[in-house]
Amino acid sequence: MALLDVKDLQLSIGKFPILRDIDLSVDAGEILGVIGESGSGKSMTALSIMQLLPFGATTSGSIRLDDREVLGLPDAEMRRIRGGTVGMVFQEPMTALNPVKTIGDQVAETAMVHGGLGRREALEVARQTLERVELPTSRFPLDRYPHELSGGQRQRVVIAMAIAMRPKLLIADEPTTALDVTTQAAILKLLQKLVDEDGMGLLFITHDLGVIAGLADKVSIMRHGEVVEAGPTVQLFRNLQHPYSKALFEASSHVPRRVRRALGGATPVLAVDDVVREYPLPRRGLFEKHRVLRAVDGVTLRIEKGENVGLVGESGCGKSTLARAIMALEPTQGGRIAIAGEPIDPQKGASFATRRHLQVVFQDPYGSFNPRHRVDRLVSEPFHLLGSAAPSGAERDKRIARALEEVGLSAADADKYVHEFSGGQRQRIAIARALIIEPSLIILDEAVSALDVSVRAQVLDLLADLSDRLQLSYLFISHDLAVVRSITDRVLVMRAGKIVEEGATEEVFRAPKHPYTQELLAATPDLEGALAKREAAGA
Amino acid sequence: MPSFILGRLVSLILSLIASSIVIFLVLEVVPGDPAQFMLGLNATPEATATLRTALGLDGPLLERYFTWVLGLLRGDFGISYTYKVPVSGLIADRIWISLPLAIYALALSTLIAFPVGILAAVKRNSAADVGIMGATQVGLAVPNFWFAMLLVLLFSITLRWFSAGGFPGWEDPLLALKALTLPAVALALPQASILARVMRSSLLDTLGEDYIRSARAKGLSQGQTLWRHALRNALIPVLTIIGLQFSFLLAGAIIIENVFFLPGLGRLVFQGITSRDLIVVKSVVMLLVFAVILVTFLVDITYALVDPRLRRATR
């Protein structure tokens, strides 16, 4: 009898069916990976097991946990299971902890609720558990608050909360999605260690095939509330049957087709020389001098016409700050920036004429549009940079239609509002907005990071095609090395405000010179590499 | 934490200095010569000038400012032009009505709003929630002086439980509190309605947070989650409103003071303005500003007690 046995699970919220005929099982000491894109029902499956479903949800079928039916248990019984038999870790470590309680109290709470322990004994349990997740009290005292920890450290606290009672099953819902690659690698290693030590079952939910390939014993692929394919990891990935799983596999290692051409023009579209961006830090004492944080520390880079340059680095390394400086959104404290040969004034910023050469696409396809404006108004916004030369009337409509068609939308979409579009379509609208005044350079700041793999592959194809046809240059900023590898000619690796390595993309990825680049690459989940390694180990 | 308090204290003192300058200058430029007003329309220019000198109204600006501020620090607020008695005495008599009334009304409003707001949030969209939201809507819409009159009609005239107005003094504290009860209820009604709505929406926001789900996943019941995790986080906006309400209640009770014939600060400042008794106006306004700044300071300290993220020296 498996530790967790889900059979014919159906879930609907109100009238809407969410899950259909879900079958899953996890044994003690086993890791089951559940893969799916957003909306596939993977999180709802996890919440069904915990019986923490949203209001109005009805379930049928069977969820047997440790040989006991979970569906229909009264809440008092369920509370003993939650945190006791089953622990759960969520995606967003920044918000999963209560900001006004110490980490010690939050971990101890699990022990107080389940073990019937007093506060002092519970804190001792918390100390031991935090030790197990590698947050020793010598460096992370129990009276720390969540805001004093980094994202990875917070995720360790969340894991400690979940495993304090040594549950038989741990459910981890995208636990590393919000983390940097090196942090992700460390958390994955920790989860593996806990499974090995305690013989705990792990249900690991993710959208990242590379992560699952290196971790899970078996995999279930979900789509539209159904499991489309399931089996032991290597076997499953090597003989995918369902068309959707095949498409998912393709998309996650997708490399857009690009035509390499000679880079043209004597003037680079972007020239950054020795740029410095400093922020004042809060004073520690009343009379102490202002300290500064050097977020960008003497960065130099060039982008030629038609060239795609990648900028990679972990959160906080200064890559977005550098992008803001290039866009002249913030003053710089040193160095020079020139766009298409025209220098930006470090204090006053760039003129409209200079800004015309530069556009940007941001990460969040939901937050980057005014929801009250129609698509034609959103897309034509950059026209104000043209001043009196801005097209109007039929010419304006023609340009809007062309920009929309350029990104694979139709001219009729101009009359719609953004809420009528999916995430991928919104990102296309953002690209259309950037294209409409025919810039020389587009800064793509994590522009595909929020998209599902299949949509991401389409958008990458679009970007590659546009760059080829229109001789566009990109500054492609991302923490996702695989994406950067697939679309850029040259790559810069940034760390603590400095460029530590720079070179042709293929060369840097094949033979990284700087230890930090090597570390990043080693931590990056690699689907093919992980499968090959497991095959070799199995053979 | 100590450096945080020190920082807030410095900002409190700076605000006080800045506001004293503003109040002084504004009352310098308002039209109306107190000396002229006191002597009436038929006074000779010579008599007016003599009185101005006697009142100290013709010295250099800076000198008069410092005389005033130093007086304030010593508790000497000057002599009222119209009452011809020390302003400090006038204020002292009235603050013992206005301050207890404000505290009484605020306590009532908090005691009503907290349970009601929490209930509405927890039982969201239930009959109780709809009822509470409707009631608070009425509480906001009803003018408080009209509500005060209804209270007088019911409790003083029909039931004869409370007196219809006036204040017996603090010799018998119970009697004094009784006299303040109807005004406090009248003042608390709209405040409680606002506070309950803020409490409800703030708690609803908090209950949607990820850490509430984490707490449930740990095995806490809904009640435990509410008390241990949600309530303290929901308190910040509620505290802000409480701070604003206290300042308002202290000075803004003038209409209610009139309905109940209570000689409070609101009435004093109103009479001071109508009779050009600028020294009274200046002192009462300064006192109210001091109260507001002090309450803001206390609210800031409470913020920091509630939320550890705010405990750093600078924000």
Side-chain angles (χ1 to χ4, degrees):
Chain A
M1 195 69 208
L3 171 63
L4 171 74
D5 207 354
V6 178
K7 281 238 176 333
D8 297 331
L9 176 68
Q10 326 270 342
L11 166 71
S12 44
I13 297 177
K15 279 183 220 151
F16 300 99
I18 306 289
L19 299 176
R20 272 187 302 268
D21 306 324
I22 303 288
D23 288 332
L24 297 172
S25 76
V26 182
D27 275 318
E30 188 183 50
I31 303 178
L32 167 69
V34 176
I35 297 186
E37 296 188 298
S38 44
S40 62
K42 47 195 200 307
S43 292
M44 281 299 161
T45 307
L47 293 174
S48 303
I49 300 167
M50 296 296 273
Q51 288 287 290
L52 284 175
L53 290 163
F55 186 75
T58 46
T59 43
S60 66
S62 150
I63 298 175
R64 294 192 76 79
L65 185 68
D66 211 13
D67 230 356
R68 189 165 171 218
E69 181 59 47
V70 167
L71 287 187
L73 272 188
D75 194 57
E77 293 287 320
M78 266 327 291
R79 291 209 298 271
R80 224 164 294 156
I81 292 176
R82 290 181 207 126
T85 319
V86 189
M88 185 154 177
V89 177
F90 299 95
Q91 172 171 357
E92 196 37 83
M94 303 316 264
T95 54
L97 292 169
N98 187 339
V100 306
K101 287 188 162 240
T102 63
I103 58 170
D105 276 339
Q106 296 195 53
V107 178
E109 200 173 24
T110 312
M112 284 163 80
V113 171
H114 292 282
L117 299 180
R119 188 157 183 273
R120 189 180 306 172
E121 290 108 325
L123 281 173
E124 177 54 28
V125 172
R127 197 188 59 73
Q128 288 166 8
T129 314
L130 285 168
E131 203 97 28
R132 289 191 71 203
V133 298
E134 290 144 22
L135 293 178
T137 22
S138 51
R139 281 176 53 224
F140 302 95
L142 296 178
D143 58 5
R144 284 288 173 87
Y145 285 97
H147 71 268
E148 297 170 292
L149 304 180
S150 72
Q153 289 161 354
R154 289 188 207 191
Q155 196 62 308
R156 287 172 190 270
V157 177
V158 176
I159 293 173
M161 270 168 30
I163 63 153
M165 296 312 291
R166 302 199 178 229
K168 292 182 175 163
L169 176 70
L170 182 66
I171 301 174
D173 187 356
E174 304 261 12
T176 58
T177 307
L179 304 173
D180 283 322
V181 279
T182 49
T183 319
Q184 162 168 286
I187 295 284
L188 293 176
K189 215 169 114 195
L190 170 68
L191 288 173
Q192 180 79 60
K193 182 190 93 173
L194 295 171
V195 167
D196 293 345
E197 281 177 6
D198 289 2
M200 183 174 68
L202 173 62
L203 182 95
F204 192 98
I205 297 173
T206 184
H207 66 280
D208 189 329
L209 277 70
V211 166
I212 226 68
L215 183 73
D217 301 308
K218 55 186 197 182
V219 174
S220 294
I221 301 176
M222 286 187 73
R223 184 203 193 189
H224 296 336
E226 285 176 308
V227 175
V228 296
E229 200 159 354
T233 309
V234 179
Q235 214 177 311
L236 177 91
F237 279 124
R238 286 304 182 215
N239 315 278
L240 288 169
Q241 300 296 323
H242 196 280
Y244 173 73
S245 353
K246 286 183 188 164
L248 198 66
F249 189 87
E250 299 267 295
S252 71
S253 44
H254 180 76
V255 177
R257 235 162 45 84
R258 297 176 55 219
V259 192
R260 292 292 320 218
R261 344 155 276 269
L263 303 169
T267 341
V269 291
L270 176 70
V272 174
D273 283 296
D274 210 18
V275 159
V276 173
R277 172 74 181 114
E278 287 173 337
Y279 291 101
L281 289 173
R283 267 180 281 214
R284 263 179 271 171
L286 209 50
F287 302 104
E288 193 203 36
K289 256 178 61 177
H290 259 300
R291 293 167 304 142
V292 290
L293 172 78
R294 212 166 240 227
V296 175
D297 190 1
V299 167
T300 299
L301 71 98
R302 288 269 176 292
I303 300 180
E304 304 297 336
K305 188 164 177 55
E307 190 183 30
N308 295 350
V309 173
L311 179 63
V312 298
E314 297 190 297
S315 45
C317 75
K319 46 189 201 304
S320 287
T321 309
L322 176 61
R324 292 177 67 81
I326 294 171
M327 287 183 265
L329 294 176
E330 286 176 7
T332 51
Q333 281 71 40
R336 286 170 310 281
I337 299 172
I339 297 167
E342 296 165 40
I344 298 178
D345 185 299
Q347 292 310 316
K348 283 187 225 138
S351 66
F352 278 5
T354 313
R355 283 182 196 270
R356 286 182 50 184
H357 297 292
L358 178 69
Q359 286 292 305
V360 63
V361 176
F362 291 106
Q363 172 172 4
D364 184 359
Y366 295 90
S368 24
F369 297 103
N370 185 333
R372 283 178 193 80
H373 292 177
R374 279 190 323 205
V375 168
D376 61 341
R377 178 156 175 201
L378 293 171
V379 168
S380 61
E381 252 169 340
F383 278 157
H384 81 275
L385 294 176
L386 302 179
S388 55
S392 58
E395 171 65 14
R396 176 175 171 274
D397 294 344
K398 215 174 84 193
R399 296 268 300 260
I400 293 170
R402 196 167 72 206
L404 288 173
E405 277 158 9
E406 205 88 78
V407 298
L409 297 170
S410 81
D413 289 332
D415 294 328
K416 297 184 182 162
Y417 289 91
V418 277
H419 68 259
E420 298 172 61
F421 296 91
S422 69
Q425 286 171 323
R426 285 176 201 218
Q427 213 57 336
R428 286 172 189 268
I429 296 172
I431 296 168
R433 172 167 65 182
L435 280 179
I436 198 157
I437 50 166
E438 294 161 2
S440 337
L441 173 67
I442 298 183
I443 296 180
L444 300 154
D445 192 354
E446 302 277 5
V448 298
S449 302
L451 305 176
D452 276 325
V453 275
S454 53
V455 181
R456 180 163 74 197
Q458 293 164 16
V459 173
L460 285 174
D461 279 339
L462 169 69
L463 289 171
D465 172 57
L466 290 171
S467 167
D468 287 341
R469 280 196 295 119
L470 308 175
Q471 282 264 304
L472 269 175
S473 307
Y474 296 141
L475 177 60
F476 198 99
I477 301 173
S478 183
H479 70 281
D480 187 331
L481 277 74
V483 169
V484 169
R485 184 175 195 171
S486 72
I487 194 153
T488 61
D489 306 306
R490 206 149 51 77
V491 67
L492 299 112
V493 183
M494 194 165 181
R495 186 192 198 184
K498 286 195 167 84
I499 303 289
V500 295
E501 183 159 359
E502 177 177 2
T505 304
E506 266 319 301
E507 258 165 61
V508 171
F509 276 80
R510 206 174 330 111
K513 290 194 186 67
H514 194 276
Y516 178 66
T517 319
Q518 291 165 358
E519 193 189 327
L520 272 184
L521 280 170
T524 303
D526 170 16
L527 177 55
E528 200 43 56
L531 290 176
K533 207 162 126 194
R534 296 181 78 154
E535 276 170 329
Chain B
M1 194 72 185
S3 68
F4 171 79
I5 295 179
L6 192 73
R8 296 282 90 201
L9 215 52
V10 169
S11 120
L12 175 138
I13 290 165
L14 291 179
S15 318
L16 277 180
I17 294 173
S19 49
S20 71
I21 294 173
V22 171
I23 291 168
F24 181 80
L25 288 180
V26 165
L27 290 180
E28 279 300 311
V29 299
V30 289
D33 181 354
Q36 180 81 59
F37 194 88
M38 286 165 77
L39 293 175
L41 290 171
N42 300 326
T44 59
E46 292 77 28
T48 319
T50 320
L51 186 61
R52 286 179 61 86
T53 319
L55 290 172
L57 288 177
D58 54 358
L61 202 64
L62 212 58
E63 188 190 307
R64 277 184 292 136
Y65 171 74
F66 279 111
T67 317
W68 177 60
V69 169
L70 288 175
L72 286 182
L73 291 178
R74 275 185 280 116
D76 172 12
F77 290 49
I79 308 288
S80 158
Y81 306 151
T82 47
Y83 295 90
K84 312 277 197 289
V85 291
V87 176
S88 48
L90 287 172
I91 291 176
D93 289 343
R94 281 149 180 89
I95 196 123
W96 285 113
I97 294 173
S98 285
L99 191 63
L101 181 61
I103 293 172
Y104 195 174
L106 195 71
L108 276 180
S109 114
T110 313
L111 284 177
I112 297 166
F114 270 52
V116 163
I118 292 169
L119 181 71
V122 172
K123 306 267 178 209
R124 187 186 188 178
N125 294 335
S126 69
D129 181 24
V130 173
I132 288 169
M133 282 298 99
T136 55
Q137 194 70 56
V138 173
L140 279 171
V142 169
N144 60 6
F145 62 87
W146 185 72
F147 180 62
M149 279 153 36
L150 289 187
L151 288 176
V152 171
L153 270 178
L154 179 63
F155 291 104
S156 311
I157 297 175
T158 312
L159 295 172
R160 293 179 181 278
W161 290 356
F162 294 93
S163 67
F167 188 70
W170 284 96
E171 285 76 38
D172 183 350
L174 272 181
L175 214 60
L177 275 183
K178 201 176 158 197
L180 290 181
T181 298
L182 288 187
V185 171
L187 282 171
L189 176 80
Q191 311 291 348
S193 302
I194 296 171
L195 208 56
R197 294 178 86 93
V198 173
M199 184 80 224
R200 174 182 180 269
S201 63
S202 170
L203 194 56
L204 280 179
D205 284 349
T206 313
L207 286 173
E209 292 282 351
D210 285 353
Y211 53 80
I212 298 299
R213 193 182 52 185
S214 305
R216 293 280 285 148
K218 263 194 261 184
L220 267 66
S221 69
Q222 262 168 343
Q224 287 170 321
T225 314
L226 178 74
W227 290 112
R228 296 194 199 167
H229 292 275
L231 217 48
R232 202 166 134 189
N233 279 290
L235 225 48
I236 289 271
V238 177
L239 284 174
T240 312
I241 301 294
I242 291 182
L244 291 173
Q245 291 192 341
F246 184 75
S247 318
F248 168 78
L249 287 172
L250 201 55
I254 174 163
I255 296 177
I256 295 296
E257 283 174 5
N258 270 321
V259 172
F260 290 97
F261 308 108
L262 294 174
L265 277 181
R267 283 182 102 190
L268 179 67
V269 86
F270 181 69
Q271 285 159 357
I273 291 168
T274 46
S275 58
R276 289 289 177 280
D277 199 342
L278 292 190
I279 189 105
V280 168
V281 177
K282 208 156 60 173
S283 308
V284 177
V285 170
M286 192 62 219
L287 187 78
L288 292 175
V289 166
F290 176 70
V292 170
I293 292 175
L294 188 70
V295 168
T296 312
F297 171 74
L298 292 176
V299 168
D300 278 350
I301 302 286
T302 327
Y303 280 164
L305 286 177
V306 170
D307 192 338
R309 286 169 296 182
L310 303 176
R311 283 176 206 164
R312 270 163 285 169
T314 42
R315 280 194 260 152

PDB file of all heavy atoms in Angstrom, chain B residues 210-224:
ATOM      1  N   ASP B 210      -0.351  34.734   1.904  1.00  0.00           N
ATOM      2  CA  ASP B 210       0.238  33.402   1.825  1.00  0.00           C
ATOM      3  C   ASP B 210       0.525  32.799   3.197  1.00  0.00           C
ATOM      4  O   ASP B 210       0.384  31.600   3.400  1.00  0.00           O
ATOM      5  CB  ASP B 210       1.557  33.458   1.032  1.00  0.00           C
ATOM      6  CG  ASP B 210       1.304  33.610  -0.451  1.00  0.00           C
ATOM      7  OD1 ASP B 210       0.130  33.532  -0.863  1.00  0.00           O
ATOM      8  OD2 ASP B 210       2.269  33.810  -1.196  1.00  0.00           O
ATOM      9  N   TYR B 211       0.953  33.654   4.159  1.00  0.00           N
ATOM     10  CA  TYR B 211       1.348  33.064   5.441  1.00  0.00           C
ATOM     11  C   TYR B 211       0.151  32.548   6.225  1.00  0.00           C
ATOM     12  O   TYR B 211       0.308  31.749   7.139  1.00  0.00           O
ATOM     13  CB  TYR B 211       2.187  34.033   6.282  1.00  0.00           C
ATOM     14  CG  TYR B 211       1.572  35.392   6.501  1.00  0.00           C
ATOM     15  CD1 TYR B 211       0.602  35.596   7.453  1.00  0.00           C
ATOM     16  CD2 TYR B 211       1.992  36.467   5.739  1.00  0.00           C
ATOM     17  CE1 TYR B 211       0.044  36.844   7.642  1.00  0.00           C
ATOM     18  CE2 TYR B 211       1.445  37.722   5.917  1.00  0.00           C
ATOM     19  CZ  TYR B 211       0.475  37.908   6.876  1.00  0.00           C
ATOM     20  OH  TYR B 211      -0.074  39.143   7.067  1.00  0.00           O
ATOM     21  N   ILE B 212      -1.044  32.994   5.868  1.00  0.00           N
ATOM     22  CA  ILE B 212      -2.238  32.426   6.492  1.00  0.00           C
ATOM     23  C   ILE B 212      -2.420  30.987   5.996  1.00  0.00           C
ATOM     24  O   ILE B 212      -2.714  30.072   6.765  1.00  0.00           O
ATOM     25  CB  ILE B 212      -3.481  33.282   6.153  1.00  0.00           C
ATOM     26  CG1 ILE B 212      -3.314  34.687   6.702  1.00  0.00           C
ATOM     27  CG2 ILE B 212      -4.762  32.637   6.676  1.00  0.00           C
ATOM     28  CD1 ILE B 212      -3.159  34.762   8.204  1.00  0.00           C
ATOM     29  N   ARG B 213      -2.174  30.798   4.690  1.00  0.00           N
ATOM     30  CA  ARG B 213      -2.233  29.441   4.138  1.00  0.00           C
ATOM     31  C   ARG B 213      -1.151  28.568   4.778  1.00  0.00           C
ATOM     32  O   ARG B 213      -1.402  27.420   5.136  1.00  0.00           O
ATOM     33  CB  ARG B 213      -2.025  29.522   2.616  1.00  0.00           C
ATOM     34  CG  ARG B 213      -2.353  28.260   1.879  1.00  0.00           C
ATOM     35  CD  ARG B 213      -2.076  28.436   0.407  1.00  0.00           C
ATOM     36  NE  ARG B 213      -0.711  28.948   0.202  1.00  0.00           N
ATOM     37  CZ  ARG B 213      -0.227  29.284  -0.992  1.00  0.00           C
ATOM     38  NH1 ARG B 213      -0.963  29.184  -2.055  1.00  0.00           N
ATOM     39  NH2 ARG B 213       1.018  29.723  -1.116  1.00  0.00           N
ATOM     40  N   SER B 214       0.056  29.153   4.958  1.00  0.00           N
ATOM     41  CA  SER B 214       1.130  28.393   5.623  1.00  0.00           C
ATOM     42  C   SER B 214       0.682  27.959   7.002  1.00  0.00           C
ATOM     43  O   SER B 214       0.937  26.829   7.417  1.00  0.00           O
ATOM     44  CB  SER B 214       2.396  29.239   5.781  1.00  0.00           C
ATOM     45  OG  SER B 214       2.825  29.743   4.563  1.00  0.00           O
ATOM     46  N   ALA B 215       0.035  28.874   7.736  1.00  0.00           N
ATOM     47  CA  ALA B 215      -0.385  28.552   9.097  1.00  0.00           C
ATOM     48  C   ALA B 215      -1.418  27.430   9.085  1.00  0.00           C
ATOM     49  O   ALA B 215      -1.379  26.519   9.917  1.00  0.00           O
ATOM     50  CB  ALA B 215      -0.957  29.803   9.775  1.00  0.00           C
ATOM     51  N   ARG B 216      -2.333  27.493   8.121  1.00  0.00           N
ATOM     52  CA  ARG B 216      -3.334  26.423   8.008  1.00  0.00           C
ATOM     53  C   ARG B 216      -2.651  25.099   7.661  1.00  0.00           C
ATOM     54  O   ARG B 216      -3.031  24.045   8.165  1.00  0.00           O
ATOM     55  CB  ARG B 216      -4.358  26.773   6.930  1.00  0.00           C
ATOM     56  CG  ARG B 216      -5.221  27.954   7.273  1.00  0.00           C
ATOM     57  CD  ARG B 216      -6.349  27.597   8.225  1.00  0.00           C
ATOM     58  NE  ARG B 216      -7.418  26.876   7.564  1.00  0.00           N
ATOM     59  CZ  ARG B 216      -8.173  25.955   8.154  1.00  0.00           C
ATOM     60  NH1 ARG B 216      -7.944  25.625   9.404  1.00  0.00           N
ATOM     61  NH2 ARG B 216      -9.145  25.359   7.501  1.00  0.00           N
ATOM     62  N   ALA B 217      -1.626  25.167   6.808  1.00  0.00           N
ATOM     63  CA  ALA B 217      -0.921  23.945   6.407  1.00  0.00           C
ATOM     64  C   ALA B 217      -0.150  23.339   7.573  1.00  0.00           C
ATOM     65  O   ALA B 217       0.195  22.171   7.558  1.00  0.00           O
ATOM     66  CB  ALA B 217       0.017  24.233   5.247  1.00  0.00           C
ATOM     67  N   LYS B 218       0.153  24.171   8.594  1.00  0.00           N
ATOM     68  CA  LYS B 218       0.824  23.664   9.787  1.00  0.00           C
ATOM     69  C   LYS B 218      -0.133  22.898  10.670  1.00  0.00           C
ATOM     70  O   LYS B 218       0.270  22.252  11.620  1.00  0.00           O
ATOM     71  CB  LYS B 218       1.341  24.853  10.608  1.00  0.00           C
ATOM     72  CG  LYS B 218       2.778  25.190  10.381  1.00  0.00           C
ATOM     73  CD  LYS B 218       3.256  26.120  11.471  1.00  0.00           C
ATOM     74  CE  LYS B 218       3.266  27.546  11.021  1.00  0.00           C
ATOM     75  NZ  LYS B 218       3.814  28.461  12.039  1.00  0.00           N
ATOM     76  N   GLY B 219      -1.446  23.044  10.427  1.00  0.00           N
ATOM     77  CA  GLY B 219      -2.430  22.347  11.242  1.00  0.00           C
ATOM     78  C   GLY B 219      -3.162  23.253  12.204  1.00  0.00           C
ATOM     79  O   GLY B 219      -3.835  22.775  13.104  1.00  0.00           O
ATOM     80  N   LEU B 220      -3.049  24.563  12.047  1.00  0.00           N
ATOM     81  CA  LEU B 220      -3.790  25.472  12.921  1.00  0.00           C
ATOM     82  C   LEU B 220      -5.249  25.534  12.472  1.00  0.00           C
ATOM     83  O   LEU B 220      -5.546  25.438  11.287  1.00  0.00           O
ATOM     84  CB  LEU B 220      -3.188  26.883  12.854  1.00  0.00           C
ATOM     85  CG  LEU B 220      -2.143  27.216  13.914  1.00  0.00           C
ATOM     86  CD1 LEU B 220      -0.908  26.354  13.703  1.00  0.00           C
ATOM     87  CD2 LEU B 220      -1.765  28.678  13.847  1.00  0.00           C
ATOM     88  N   SER B 221      -6.134  25.725  13.436  1.00  0.00           N
ATOM     89  CA  SER B 221      -7.547  25.879  13.088  1.00  0.00           C
ATOM     90  C   SER B 221      -7.761  27.297  12.579  1.00  0.00           C
ATOM     91  O   SER B 221      -6.887  28.155  12.692  1.00  0.00           O
ATOM     92  CB  SER B 221      -8.419  25.627  14.300  1.00  0.00           C
ATOM     93  OG  SER B 221      -8.241  26.676  15.226  1.00  0.00           O
ATOM     94  N   GLN B 222      -8.957  27.549  12.025  1.00  0.00           N
ATOM     95  CA  GLN B 222      -9.231  28.883  11.506  1.00  0.00           C
ATOM     96  C   GLN B 222      -9.155  29.942  12.607  1.00  0.00           C
ATOM     97  O   GLN B 222      -8.620  31.025  12.401  1.00  0.00           O
ATOM     98  CB  GLN B 222     -10.604  28.912  10.836  1.00  0.00           C
ATOM     99  CG  GLN B 222     -10.453  28.751   9.347  1.00  0.00           C
ATOM    100  CD  GLN B 222     -11.757  28.474   8.642  1.00  0.00           C
ATOM    101  OE1 GLN B 222     -12.751  28.094   9.254  1.00  0.00           O
ATOM    102  NE2 GLN B 222     -11.739  28.657   7.350  1.00  0.00           N
ATOM    103  N   GLY B 223      -9.671  29.576  13.783  1.00  0.00           N
ATOM    104  CA  GLY B 223      -9.634  30.507  14.906  1.00  0.00           C
ATOM    105  C   GLY B 223      -8.207  30.822  15.332  1.00  0.00           C
ATOM    106  O   GLY B 223      -7.835  31.978  15.519  1.00  0.00           O
ATOM    107  N   GLN B 224      -7.379  29.773  15.457  1.00  0.00           N
ATOM    108  CA  GLN B 224      -5.977  29.978  15.852  1.00  0.00           C
ATOM    109  C   GLN B 224      -5.251  30.838  14.817  1.00  0.00           C
ATOM    110  O   GLN B 224      -4.445  31.704  15.155  1.00  0.00           O
ATOM    111  CB  GLN B 224      -5.269  28.627  15.977  1.00  0.00           C
ATOM    112  CG  GLN B 224      -5.684  27.830  17.193  1.00  0.00           C
ATOM    113  CD  GLN B 224      -5.146  26.410  17.157  1.00  0.00           C
ATOM    114  OE1 GLN B 224      -5.111  25.776  16.108  1.00  0.00           O
ATOM    115  NE2 GLN B 224      -4.708  25.910  18.294  1.00  0.00           N
TER     116      GLN B 224
END
